[in-house]
Amino acid sequence: MKNLTRRIAAVSAAAFLALNVAGCSVTTGNPTSDGGGEREQKDEYRVAYIARAQADSFAAWLANEMKAEAANYEDITLEVFDGQADDEIENRLIENAIANKFDAIIIQPNNADAQLPYIQQAVDAGIVTVTTNPRVEGIDGASSVDANPYDQGAIVAQAALEQVPENANVVVLNGPAANFHGTARREAWEKEFFDQRPDVTIVAEDTANWNKDEALTLMEDWSLANPKIDAVISMNDNMASGALEAVKGKSGFDGMLAYGVDGTPEATLLIQEGTMTATSLQDAAELAQLNLKAVHDLLSGAEDNVSVNVGNPLITKDNTQEYIDLYKEAGLIGN
Protein backbone atom coordinates (compact mmCIF):
# COMPACT_ATOMS: atom_id res chain seq x y z
CA MET A 1 0.00 0.00 0.00
CA LYS A 2 2.82 2.44 0.74
CA ASN A 3 3.80 2.36 -2.93
CA LEU A 4 0.48 3.89 -3.88
CA THR A 5 1.04 6.87 -1.61
CA ARG A 6 4.54 7.78 -2.81
CA ARG A 7 3.89 9.14 -6.27
CA ILE A 8 0.20 8.83 -6.91
CA ALA A 9 -0.53 12.18 -5.27
CA ALA A 10 1.32 13.98 -8.04
CA VAL A 11 -1.25 13.14 -10.71
CA SER A 12 -4.35 15.26 -11.35
CA ALA A 13 -7.75 13.97 -12.40
CA ALA A 14 -7.52 15.96 -15.58
CA ALA A 15 -4.25 14.34 -16.51
CA PHE A 16 -5.75 10.91 -15.91
CA LEU A 17 -8.65 11.60 -18.22
CA ALA A 18 -6.71 13.35 -20.99
CA LEU A 19 -3.04 12.54 -21.42
CA ASN A 20 -1.09 14.79 -23.75
CA VAL A 21 1.17 12.46 -25.70
CA ALA A 22 4.30 13.57 -27.50
CA GLY A 23 4.70 13.47 -31.27
CA CYS A 24 6.83 10.95 -33.06
CA SER A 25 8.89 12.88 -35.62
CA VAL A 26 12.46 11.74 -36.11
CA THR A 27 15.14 14.01 -34.67
CA THR A 28 18.86 13.71 -34.16
CA GLY A 29 20.54 12.90 -30.88
CA ASN A 30 23.58 11.38 -29.22
CA PRO A 31 24.17 7.63 -29.19
CA THR A 32 23.20 6.00 -25.91
CA SER A 33 26.36 3.94 -25.77
CA ASP A 34 29.75 3.73 -27.31
CA GLY A 35 28.89 0.47 -29.07
CA GLY A 36 30.46 -1.75 -26.43
CA GLY A 37 31.97 -1.76 -22.96
CA GLU A 38 30.89 0.86 -20.44
CA ARG A 39 27.73 2.84 -21.21
CA GLU A 40 28.30 6.54 -21.86
CA GLN A 41 27.48 8.64 -18.80
CA LYS A 42 25.51 11.84 -19.36
CA ASP A 43 24.13 14.76 -17.41
CA GLU A 44 20.72 14.16 -18.99
CA TYR A 45 19.09 11.07 -20.49
CA ARG A 46 16.22 11.01 -22.99
CA VAL A 47 13.74 8.24 -22.30
CA ALA A 48 10.82 7.25 -24.54
CA TYR A 49 7.75 5.60 -23.04
CA ILE A 50 5.62 3.88 -25.67
CA ALA A 51 2.18 3.26 -24.18
CA ARG A 52 -0.17 0.63 -25.55
CA ALA A 53 -3.31 2.79 -25.88
CA GLN A 54 -4.69 5.81 -24.07
CA ALA A 55 -8.27 4.61 -24.65
CA ASP A 56 -7.46 1.89 -22.10
CA SER A 57 -8.04 3.41 -18.66
CA PHE A 58 -5.23 1.44 -17.02
CA ALA A 59 -2.77 2.31 -19.79
CA ALA A 60 -3.68 5.99 -19.39
CA TRP A 61 -3.21 5.76 -15.62
CA LEU A 62 0.18 4.08 -16.05
CA ALA A 63 1.34 6.66 -18.61
CA ASN A 64 0.49 9.51 -16.24
CA GLU A 65 2.28 7.78 -13.37
CA MET A 66 5.34 7.40 -15.60
CA LYS A 67 5.33 11.14 -16.26
CA ALA A 68 4.91 11.92 -12.56
CA GLU A 69 7.68 9.55 -11.50
CA ALA A 70 10.11 10.82 -14.16
CA ALA A 71 9.85 14.27 -12.58
CA ASN A 72 11.74 12.84 -9.57
CA TYR A 73 14.86 12.32 -11.70
CA GLU A 74 16.82 15.47 -12.54
CA ASP A 75 18.81 13.64 -15.21
CA ILE A 76 15.83 12.04 -17.05
CA THR A 77 13.52 13.62 -19.62
CA LEU A 78 10.58 11.37 -20.46
CA GLU A 79 8.56 11.56 -23.68
CA VAL A 80 5.30 9.60 -23.93
CA PHE A 81 3.92 8.14 -27.17
CA ASP A 82 0.52 6.54 -27.78
CA GLY A 83 0.45 3.19 -29.60
CA GLN A 84 -3.33 3.48 -30.09
CA ALA A 85 -3.76 -0.30 -29.64
CA ASP A 86 -2.35 -0.71 -33.15
CA ASP A 87 0.64 -2.97 -33.82
CA GLU A 88 1.76 -0.98 -36.86
CA ILE A 89 1.69 2.29 -34.95
CA GLU A 90 3.49 0.85 -31.95
CA ASN A 91 6.17 -0.78 -34.09
CA ARG A 92 6.70 2.48 -35.96
CA LEU A 93 7.04 4.33 -32.66
CA ILE A 94 9.74 1.90 -31.56
CA GLU A 95 11.58 2.41 -34.87
CA ASN A 96 11.29 6.19 -34.47
CA ALA A 97 12.64 6.04 -30.92
CA ILE A 98 15.64 4.08 -32.20
CA ALA A 99 16.17 6.58 -35.04
CA ASN A 100 15.85 9.45 -32.54
CA LYS A 101 18.66 7.80 -30.55
CA PHE A 102 16.84 7.83 -27.23
CA ASP A 103 19.01 6.66 -24.35
CA ALA A 104 16.29 4.31 -23.11
CA ILE A 105 12.92 3.00 -24.29
CA ILE A 106 10.18 1.64 -22.03
CA ILE A 107 7.66 -0.34 -24.06
CA GLN A 108 4.14 -1.40 -23.05
CA PRO A 109 3.42 -3.91 -25.83
CA ASN A 110 0.11 -4.20 -27.59
CA ASN A 111 1.01 -7.64 -28.94
CA ALA A 112 4.24 -9.20 -27.70
CA ASP A 113 4.77 -11.33 -30.80
CA ALA A 114 4.30 -8.35 -33.13
CA GLN A 115 6.57 -6.06 -31.11
CA LEU A 116 9.31 -8.60 -30.31
CA PRO A 117 11.56 -8.06 -33.38
CA TYR A 118 11.32 -4.28 -33.01
CA ILE A 119 12.16 -4.47 -29.31
CA GLN A 120 15.16 -6.63 -30.21
CA GLN A 121 16.23 -3.93 -32.68
CA ALA A 122 16.29 -1.40 -29.83
CA VAL A 123 18.46 -3.67 -27.72
CA ASP A 124 20.80 -4.36 -30.64
CA ALA A 125 21.13 -0.59 -31.20
CA GLY A 126 22.65 -0.29 -27.72
CA ILE A 127 19.57 1.36 -26.20
CA VAL A 128 18.49 0.50 -22.66
CA THR A 129 15.21 -1.33 -23.26
CA VAL A 130 12.54 -2.25 -20.70
CA THR A 131 9.26 -4.05 -21.41
CA THR A 132 6.38 -3.54 -19.02
CA ASN A 133 2.74 -4.50 -18.58
CA PRO A 134 3.40 -7.03 -20.01
CA ARG A 135 7.01 -8.12 -20.19
CA VAL A 136 8.10 -9.74 -23.44
CA GLU A 137 9.92 -13.05 -23.22
CA GLY A 138 12.63 -14.17 -25.64
CA ILE A 139 14.50 -10.88 -26.04
CA ASP A 140 18.25 -11.04 -25.55
CA GLY A 141 19.35 -8.08 -23.44
CA ALA A 142 16.05 -6.45 -22.43
CA SER A 143 14.90 -5.82 -18.87
CA SER A 144 11.33 -6.03 -17.56
CA VAL A 145 9.00 -4.61 -14.94
CA ASP A 146 5.62 -6.28 -14.66
CA ALA A 147 3.09 -8.10 -12.52
CA ASN A 148 2.36 -11.81 -12.39
CA PRO A 149 -0.83 -12.04 -14.46
CA TYR A 150 -1.65 -15.58 -13.36
CA ASP A 151 -1.63 -14.47 -9.73
CA GLN A 152 -3.74 -11.43 -10.63
CA GLY A 153 -6.43 -13.63 -12.12
CA ALA A 154 -6.10 -16.38 -9.52
CA ILE A 155 -6.76 -14.22 -6.48
CA VAL A 156 -10.03 -12.97 -8.00
CA ALA A 157 -11.02 -16.43 -9.26
CA GLN A 158 -10.47 -17.92 -5.81
CA ALA A 159 -12.74 -15.29 -4.28
CA ALA A 160 -15.41 -16.12 -6.87
CA LEU A 161 -15.45 -19.80 -5.90
CA GLU A 162 -17.69 -19.10 -2.91
CA GLN A 163 -19.58 -16.16 -4.42
CA VAL A 164 -20.85 -17.42 -7.78
CA PRO A 165 -24.13 -19.31 -7.25
CA GLU A 166 -24.60 -22.99 -8.04
CA ASN A 167 -25.38 -23.80 -11.69
CA ALA A 168 -24.58 -20.23 -12.69
CA ASN A 169 -24.51 -18.91 -16.23
CA VAL A 170 -21.48 -16.67 -16.82
CA VAL A 171 -19.93 -14.68 -19.67
CA VAL A 172 -16.19 -14.20 -20.18
CA LEU A 173 -14.44 -11.15 -21.62
CA ASN A 174 -10.88 -11.69 -22.83
CA GLY A 175 -7.98 -9.39 -23.63
CA PRO A 176 -6.25 -9.25 -27.03
CA ALA A 177 -5.22 -12.55 -28.59
CA ALA A 178 -1.65 -13.56 -27.74
CA ASN A 179 -1.43 -10.93 -24.99
CA PHE A 180 0.65 -12.33 -22.12
CA HIS A 181 -1.49 -10.80 -19.40
CA GLY A 182 -4.81 -11.72 -20.96
CA THR A 183 -3.74 -15.32 -21.65
CA ALA A 184 -2.33 -15.91 -18.17
CA ARG A 185 -5.33 -14.37 -16.40
CA ARG A 186 -7.69 -16.56 -18.44
CA GLU A 187 -5.57 -19.62 -17.59
CA ALA A 188 -5.85 -18.73 -13.91
CA TRP A 189 -9.64 -18.54 -14.13
CA GLU A 190 -9.71 -21.95 -15.85
CA LYS A 191 -7.56 -23.68 -13.26
CA GLU A 192 -8.64 -21.83 -10.12
CA PHE A 193 -12.37 -21.51 -10.86
CA PHE A 194 -13.84 -23.40 -13.82
CA ASP A 195 -11.99 -26.64 -13.07
CA GLN A 196 -13.31 -26.42 -9.49
CA ARG A 197 -16.86 -25.46 -10.49
CA PRO A 198 -18.09 -27.82 -13.25
CA ASP A 199 -21.65 -26.71 -12.44
CA VAL A 200 -20.94 -23.27 -13.94
CA THR A 201 -21.78 -22.77 -17.63
CA ILE A 202 -20.04 -20.28 -19.91
CA VAL A 203 -22.90 -19.08 -22.11
CA ALA A 204 -20.75 -16.61 -24.08
CA GLU A 205 -17.06 -15.75 -24.39
CA ASP A 206 -15.23 -13.35 -26.69
CA THR A 207 -12.35 -10.91 -27.00
CA ALA A 208 -12.97 -7.25 -26.24
CA ASN A 209 -9.32 -6.14 -26.47
CA TRP A 210 -9.29 -4.45 -23.04
CA ASN A 211 -11.81 -1.97 -24.52
CA LYS A 212 -14.88 -0.76 -22.64
CA ASP A 213 -16.95 0.00 -25.75
CA GLU A 214 -16.24 -3.38 -27.31
CA ALA A 215 -17.26 -5.10 -24.08
CA LEU A 216 -20.45 -3.03 -23.92
CA THR A 217 -21.41 -4.10 -27.46
CA LEU A 218 -20.76 -7.78 -26.74
CA MET A 219 -22.73 -7.64 -23.50
CA GLU A 220 -25.70 -5.98 -25.20
CA ASP A 221 -25.91 -8.95 -27.57
CA TRP A 222 -25.28 -11.52 -24.85
CA SER A 223 -27.95 -10.08 -22.55
CA LEU A 224 -30.52 -10.36 -25.34
CA ALA A 225 -29.61 -13.98 -26.05
CA ASN A 226 -29.25 -14.95 -22.38
CA PRO A 227 -31.80 -13.34 -20.07
CA LYS A 228 -30.10 -15.00 -17.08
CA ILE A 229 -26.43 -14.12 -16.61
CA ASP A 230 -25.18 -14.59 -13.06
CA ALA A 231 -21.66 -13.25 -13.45
CA VAL A 232 -19.31 -11.36 -15.78
CA ILE A 233 -15.76 -12.67 -15.67
CA SER A 234 -13.46 -10.11 -17.24
CA MET A 235 -9.70 -10.10 -17.69
CA ASN A 236 -9.58 -6.38 -16.87
CA ASP A 237 -11.70 -3.71 -15.17
CA ASN A 238 -12.27 -1.66 -18.30
CA MET A 239 -14.16 -4.47 -20.04
CA ALA A 240 -16.06 -5.34 -16.84
CA SER A 241 -17.33 -1.76 -16.53
CA GLY A 242 -18.45 -1.82 -20.17
CA ALA A 243 -20.41 -5.02 -19.58
CA LEU A 244 -22.06 -3.56 -16.50
CA GLU A 245 -23.05 -0.44 -18.39
CA ALA A 246 -24.72 -2.57 -21.07
CA VAL A 247 -27.20 -4.06 -18.59
CA LYS A 248 -27.63 -1.03 -16.33
CA GLY A 249 -31.33 -0.67 -15.53
CA LYS A 250 -32.26 -3.85 -17.40
CA SER A 251 -34.74 -6.09 -15.66
CA GLY A 252 -33.32 -9.42 -14.54
CA PHE A 253 -29.69 -8.33 -14.20
CA ASP A 254 -29.86 -6.85 -10.71
CA GLY A 255 -27.38 -8.65 -8.49
CA MET A 256 -25.21 -9.89 -11.36
CA LEU A 257 -21.64 -10.40 -10.15
CA ALA A 258 -18.71 -8.86 -12.01
CA TYR A 259 -14.99 -9.52 -11.68
CA GLY A 260 -12.00 -7.70 -13.17
CA VAL A 261 -8.29 -6.99 -12.77
CA ASP A 262 -6.34 -3.72 -12.38
CA GLY A 263 -7.95 -1.96 -9.43
CA THR A 264 -8.68 1.19 -11.43
CA PRO A 265 -10.37 4.14 -9.71
CA GLU A 266 -13.55 3.47 -11.70
CA ALA A 267 -13.61 -0.17 -10.57
CA THR A 268 -13.12 0.71 -6.91
CA LEU A 269 -16.11 3.05 -7.06
CA LEU A 270 -18.22 0.37 -8.76
CA ILE A 271 -17.23 -2.12 -6.06
CA GLN A 272 -18.04 0.36 -3.30
CA GLU A 273 -21.53 0.95 -4.70
CA GLY A 274 -22.09 -2.81 -5.06
CA THR A 275 -22.24 -2.88 -8.86
CA MET A 276 -18.93 -4.70 -9.33
CA THR A 277 -17.81 -7.57 -7.10
CA ALA A 278 -14.01 -7.76 -6.96
CA THR A 279 -10.76 -6.95 -8.72
CA SER A 280 -7.04 -7.28 -8.02
CA LEU A 281 -4.81 -4.24 -7.91
CA GLN A 282 -2.19 -3.69 -10.57
CA ASP A 283 -0.59 -0.63 -9.04
CA ALA A 284 0.32 1.81 -11.82
CA ALA A 285 2.20 4.01 -9.36
CA GLU A 286 4.41 1.13 -8.25
CA LEU A 287 4.96 0.01 -11.86
CA ALA A 288 6.07 3.54 -12.75
CA GLN A 289 8.41 3.76 -9.77
CA LEU A 290 10.06 0.46 -10.62
CA ASN A 291 10.32 1.29 -14.35
CA LEU A 292 12.04 4.64 -13.80
CA LYS A 293 14.32 3.16 -11.16
CA ALA A 294 15.21 0.31 -13.53
CA VAL A 295 15.96 2.73 -16.38
CA HIS A 296 18.06 4.97 -14.13
CA ASP A 297 20.01 2.04 -12.69
CA LEU A 298 20.64 0.61 -16.15
CA LEU A 299 21.73 3.94 -17.63
CA SER A 300 24.01 4.74 -14.71
CA GLY A 301 25.57 1.27 -14.73
CA ALA A 302 24.26 0.34 -11.28
CA GLU A 303 22.48 -2.66 -12.85
CA ASP A 304 23.12 -4.77 -15.94
CA ASN A 305 19.63 -6.30 -16.10
CA VAL A 306 16.37 -5.88 -14.17
CA SER A 307 13.40 -8.26 -13.88
CA VAL A 308 10.87 -7.45 -11.16
CA ASN A 309 7.15 -7.90 -10.39
CA VAL A 310 4.66 -5.79 -8.41
CA GLY A 311 2.09 -7.31 -6.05
CA ASN A 312 -1.61 -7.97 -6.66
CA PRO A 313 -3.83 -7.45 -3.59
CA LEU A 314 -7.54 -8.33 -3.82
CA ILE A 315 -10.02 -5.42 -3.69
CA THR A 316 -13.55 -6.14 -2.45
CA LYS A 317 -16.27 -4.08 -0.83
CA ASP A 318 -14.69 -4.88 2.56
CA ASN A 319 -11.47 -2.96 1.82
CA THR A 320 -12.32 -0.71 -1.12
CA GLN A 321 -12.51 2.45 1.00
CA GLU A 322 -8.78 2.48 1.69
CA TYR A 323 -8.05 2.48 -2.05
CA ILE A 324 -10.70 5.11 -2.75
CA ASP A 325 -9.15 7.34 -0.07
CA LEU A 326 -5.77 7.03 -1.79
CA TYR A 327 -7.28 7.81 -5.20
CA LYS A 328 -9.03 10.86 -3.75
CA GLU A 329 -5.76 12.06 -2.27
CA ALA A 330 -4.20 11.65 -5.70
CA GLY A 331 -6.97 13.57 -7.44
CA LEU A 332 -7.98 10.49 -9.45
CA ILE A 333 -11.40 10.48 -7.75
CA GLY A 334 -13.27 13.66 -6.85
CA ASN A 335 -14.15 14.36 -3.24
Side-chain angles (χ1 to χ4, degrees):
M1 292 297 299
K2 65 182 180 180
N3 289 310
L4 274 169
T5 61
R6 288 175 53 199
R7 278 307 310 148
I8 197 169
V11 187
S12 69
F16 173 73
L17 293 172
L19 174 70
N20 292 320
V21 296
C24 56
S25 59
V26 176
T27 61
T28 59
N30 295 320
T32 55
S33 72
D34 58 11
E38 294 295 322
R39 185 169 296 278
E40 179 187 354
Q41 298 300 296
K42 299 182 178 181
D43 293 330
E44 184 175 358
Y45 297 101
R46 296 170 59 240
V47 178
Y49 174 55
I50 299 173
R52 178 176 62 240
Q54 297 312 299
D56 177 338
S57 60
F58 182 81
W61 177 22
L62 179 56
N64 284 315
E65 291 292 352
M66 290 282 196
K67 292 171 68 179
E69 184 62 22
N72 289 333
Y73 292 85
E74 293 182 355
D75 55 351
I76 286 180
T77 299
L78 183 75
E79 295 184 47
V80 179
F81 303 89
D82 184 0
Q84 301 177 46
D86 185 302
D87 288 337
E88 271 191 41
I89 293 173
E90 183 146 355
N91 293 341
R92 187 165 64 249
L93 289 171
I94 297 171
E95 288 183 315
N96 285 341
I98 296 169
N100 270 280
K101 295 184 170 61
F102 276 87
D103 299 294
I105 308 174
I106 305 171
I107 301 163
Q108 182 190 29
N110 182 59
N111 179 328
D113 290 340
Q115 272 79 71
L116 190 150
Y118 295 87
I119 297 168
Q120 188 65 60
Q121 286 179 34
V123 175
D124 294 344
I127 298 172
V128 164
T129 307
V130 179
T131 62
T132 192
N133 186 240
R135 64 170 40 92
V136 180
E137 304 288 354
I139 299 172
D140 184 19
S143 292
S144 64
V145 177
D146 200 12
N148 185 318
Y150 184 94
D151 291 347
Q152 291 174 327
I155 195 170
V156 184
Q158 289 160 4
L161 279 172
E162 302 299 322
Q163 296 170 337
V164 174
E166 189 176 358
N167 299 317
N169 290 335
V170 306
V171 295
V172 179
L173 290 161
N174 291 315
N179 181 277
F180 173 57
H181 273 217
T183 301
R185 291 172 189 175
R186 182 62 181 85
E187 180 185 358
W189 270 97
E190 194 65 33
K191 291 182 178 179
E192 306 293 338
F193 180 79
F194 290 114
D195 286 354
Q196 314 300 320
R197 292 289 307 274
D199 59 296
V200 173
T201 300
I202 300 174
V203 296
E205 179 169 4
D206 209 339
T207 296
N209 296 306
W210 305 134
N211 188 279
K212 183 175 183 176
D213 291 338
E214 290 186 37
L216 188 152
T217 299
L218 286 171
M219 190 64 182
E220 284 178 335
D221 293 339
W222 293 346
S223 63
L224 291 173
N226 303 279
K228 180 180 181 292
I229 297 175
D230 298 291
V232 173
I233 294 169
S234 175
M235 300 310 122
N236 82 340
D237 292 341
N238 211 34
M239 297 185 297
S241 66
L244 288 168
E245 189 158 329
V247 297
K248 188 175 182 179
K250 280 191 177 182
S251 176
F253 292 91
D254 293 340
M256 183 182 70
L257 306 175
Y259 301 92
V261 170
D262 282 338
T264 62
E266 179 184 20
T268 60
L269 289 172
L270 289 172
I271 292 170
Q272 185 183 59
E273 71 182 29
T275 304
M276 191 165 162
T277 311
T279 185
S280 60
L281 177 65
Q282 183 167 232
D283 184 356
E286 186 178 5
L287 277 171
Q289 291 158 17
L290 293 175
N291 268 289
L292 268 298
K293 183 179 186 303
V295 161
H296 194 265
D297 287 348
L298 291 162
L299 287 169
S300 66
E303 297 285 353
D304 293 325
N305 188 269
V306 175
S307 180
V308 64
N309 283 333
V310 298
N312 51 269
L314 182 70
I315 301 177
T316 67
K317 196 166 185 177
D318 291 339
N319 67 352
T320 192
Q321 188 59 51
E322 61 185 287
Y323 295 95
I324 288 174
D325 289 344
L326 288 169
Y327 292 144
K328 284 182 177 179
E329 180 185 350
L332 298 177
I333 293 177
N335 291 312

